Structures are given as C-alpha cells and as structure tokens.
Amino acid sequence: MSQPEPARTLFALSPAEAETAVVRLGGRAFHARIARREACARGLLDYAAMTSLPAELRARLAAELPLVSARETARRTARDGTVKLLLAFPDGRTVETVWIPSRKSGTGATLCVSTQVGCPVRCPFCASGKDGLVRNLEWPEIVEQYLFGRAVGALARSVVMGIGEPLLNYANLLRALEFVRGELGLGARKITVSTVGFPERLERAAADDPAFQLAISLHSPDDEQRWELVPAMRGVPVEDVLAAGDRWFERTGRELTYEYVLLGGTNDSPGHAARLAARLRGRRASVNLIPYNPVDEAGYARPDAETAERFRRVLVDAGVVATVRWSRGLESDAACGQLRIRAGK
C-alpha cells in the first residue's frame, strides 16, 4: 500500500533538523525552539500568533516551512465539553481526534488519537472500519493530532484508541510517542495504547518494553463470538490473547486493561459476565466496560445502566477489578469514525 510523501513541515523534522531549517530561512536556532515551544506549550498553530518571533521570519516560515500539513475540516462540541475534530491531510484523507475534558476542572484533558486512515480490523459495531484500511498514518500525521488537540486546550493524558489498529502501524506510533513524551511532556503512565491483541505483535512490543500502558479490546469471552465481533482475530483463541497479555505483564511489569464494549442483547448477559470472570480471575489486569455508542445502520444496541452494573458486579464478585466507562460527547458523533463517514472521507 503506497504511502504519501512526508510533508515538509516544522513538526515533520527532529528538533535539530528544525533548527537547521530555520537558520537556512534566515532565523536563529533558538527561533526554531521558540516556535516548537509555542505550539506545544501554548497551542499556537499559526506563526502569525507567535509574536516572540521576528515578523519577517514569521512570514517566511509560514510560506516555506508550515507548522503542520493537516487542516481542520469539521468540529463537533458536545454539551459536556468534549470536542471532536476531523483533520484532512494533503492527500484528502481524514482522521478523527477527540479532546475529552476531565470531570475535574483545571486538570487537563485526555486526547484520543488515530493511527490509520480506516481500520483493517472491521468490527461490525464500529464505524472506523466500515470501509476497511486505506493507509497507515506517517508519524508526523500522528503528531499533528496532538498539536491540534493541544490547540483546543491543555493535555493531561493520551489514549491511542481512535481509528486504526496501533500495533499494525507500530514504528510510526513509537516515533510519534517519542515526540509526545519529549515535547508535550506526557509520561509513559499517561499514554495508553489500545489493540485487539495480535499475540505475535504483543510479543514484539513487550520485548521492546515501550513507554506506554496497554489496553486490549476483548469484547467477548467466547471464541466464536469474538471472531464475529473482531473479524481480524478469526482463528486466534481468546486464551492465546490473554496469554499474550500475561507475558506483557511478565516482561514489562505493567498491568494491562481489557476493554469490553457492552452490546445490548449481544454480549452483555450474566452468562457472558461469568465466563469473562472465569477467564480473568487471578490475572494481573482490570476491565473497562464500555456501553456501546450507537453507530448508524450497525444494528447493535446500547445496554441500560442496570444491565451494565449487573455485568460489572459479576466480575467484581469474582475478584476482577472492573469499571463501567460511559462514553463522553454522545451528541457529537461520538462513536469513533462517524464524523469521518459523514464527511465522506
């Protein structure tokens, strides 16, 4: 699958390369550092607003070395303050990133980012994979989502849970997260990467001991049903995924989270809960139960609060740490991929 040529932008360069580029355009090395700091610390994505830079240099940089390649083409803001952005790259492809404010005022937001245009996993309940995978994002394109998110407001943590399967674009993800840690200052404990759990890719990642927390999207304790809900994992037993999670903990010392989307009338029965509890009992992991965000024409339902709590109680009674996570921003195309689909990109 062909990839776009990386755009010549300030944030497609390393800090040292950026300094060289700015000097070539008539500035000083410290001007590059100022520009990057203004974008990362203050959320400025327009050289014109960076008044600490000489006006002539600002104009030259805007013409010859733009900060980013993407442009914001749509924004939805929910009543709870959640902001969903649709970003378009020069090739016309789009991704979503979501800025989710903390419920505690003044503590910064969580940014949810994407790693691919489209998704090869193609879960039938998810809008992200409706049309399959288009292409991987290059590392600067992942970085740009963080910059646009920072422009919305301060960031306290990040979840790589947007469009795409992160471990299928692992090299670009790792390089982008180097930027997140180094220039945005989010430590490893503040970054969570979500995957459907390809065992061999988890093994490789665990061997690297990467600086992020891990979440595995499970969605069913039963092989046949999981293969229907997560088609890319067909033929891989649930127990193999859990064993790979165990080895992640053994290699990294970091407990992981299992994510379980509760689909009303599909995978949310007491029997499902009991079988999930039996699989997870004694393992060093916790469970996030996520009541389904409705997707147009997907044919799945959102369970009520009583059903979600009953499911959680079965897990807790079996000694499994479990939390119900009600999604934010429901009225702003909250289900991942819906804004992109409605924009036709």
Side-chain angles (χ1 to χ4, degrees):
M1 185 176 298
S2 63
Q3 296 288 92
E5 288 295 320
R8 179 179 166 78
T9 63
L10 186 74
F11 283 97
L13 304 175
S14 71
E17 290 169 338
E19 291 179 9
T20 299
V22 169
V23 169
R24 189 179 299 121
L25 292 172
R28 305 283 293 274
F30 70 85
H31 289 141
R33 296 193 292 273
I34 289 173
R36 292 174 80 99
R37 185 171 63 247
E38 292 279 75
C40 294
R42 297 182 59 201
L44 301 183
L45 288 184
D46 184 351
Y47 284 118
M50 298 180 181
T51 55
S52 53
L53 295 176
E56 185 177 326
L57 178 61
R58 279 181 270 157
R60 194 174 299 124
L61 289 172
E64 301 188 41
L65 188 64
L67 287 162
V68 294
S69 67
R71 59 190 175 86
E72 181 184 319
T73 61
R75 176 183 293 220
R76 300 287 186 271
T77 303
R79 286 189 295 272
D80 64 9
T82 297
V83 178
K84 173 172 277 194
L85 304 176
L86 185 69
L87 305 179
F89 296 107
D91 66 353
R93 300 301 184 181
T94 60
V95 296
E96 297 174 8
T97 188
V98 186
W99 186 90
I100 307 165
S102 170
R103 290 185 170 89
K104 295 181 180 179
S105 177
T107 58
T110 297
L111 191 73
C112 180
V113 302
S114 301
T115 53
Q116 296 177 308
V117 179
C119 182
V121 179
R122 306 193 74 157
C123 299
F125 56 85
C126 179
S128 297
K130 183 174 181 292
D131 298 319
L133 177 65
V134 178
R135 67 172 176 84
N136 285 332
L137 293 180
E138 295 295 319
W139 72 265
E141 294 174 322
I142 300 173
V143 162
E144 289 185 15
Q145 294 174 70
Y146 285 97
L147 296 173
F148 276 93
R150 178 63 189 89
V152 175
L155 304 179
R157 56 191 54 82
S158 167
V159 291
V160 185
M161 297 181 182
I163 298 170
E165 164 50 55
L167 293 192
L168 296 182
N169 193 16
Y170 185 60
N172 281 310
L173 171 66
L174 288 188
R175 190 162 180 188
L177 293 184
E178 287 179 13
F179 162 86
V180 173
R181 293 190 301 275
E183 298 197 48
L184 286 177
L186 297 185
R189 292 185 177 276
K190 301 295 185 181
I191 303 168
T192 299
V193 173
S194 177
T195 173
V196 295
F198 297 99
E200 71 285 354
R201 291 184 180 268
L202 282 175
E203 295 277 1
R204 275 184 260 164
D208 292 338
D209 193 12
F212 57 71
Q213 304 294 104
L214 182 71
I216 297 177
S217 297
L218 203 57
H219 308 325
S220 179
D222 308 321
D223 288 339
E224 289 292 341
Q225 185 178 54
R226 186 169 195 256
W227 297 341
E228 292 175 7
L229 296 177
V230 191
M233 298 298 288
R234 180 164 291 280
V236 180
V238 170
E239 196 58 37
D240 287 4
V241 176
L242 299 178
D246 294 342
R247 288 189 291 274
W248 165 274
F249 172 72
E250 291 166 4
R251 293 292 295 269
T252 68
R254 297 192 293 277
E255 294 186 14
L256 65 154
T257 301
Y258 286 100
E259 297 168 313
Y260 192 104
V261 172
L262 290 168
L263 304 165
T266 298
N267 67 350
D268 62 345
S269 71
H272 284 95
R275 293 192 296 278
L276 181 63
R279 286 197 183 272
L280 296 181
R281 187 181 291 113
R283 286 189 147 105
R284 295 295 294 270
S286 59
V287 180
N288 280 341
L289 301 171
I290 307 167
Y292 178 60
N293 274 344
V295 171
D296 295 344
E297 301 177 1
Y300 293 93
R302 185 175 174 87
D304 59 29
E306 182 180 351
T307 299
E309 175 56 25
R310 182 174 61 235
F311 197 105
R312 187 193 73 86
R313 178 51 58 188
V314 171
L315 295 177
V316 170
D317 288 347
V320 177
V321 176
T323 305
V324 178
R325 304 281 187 187
W326 293 94
S327 297
R328 309 279 295 280
L330 281 181
E331 73 273 24
S332 62
D333 297 321
C336 192
Q338 287 213 132
L339 186 57
R340 175 173 169 265
I341 285 176
R342 290 177 184 177
K345 298 294 184 178

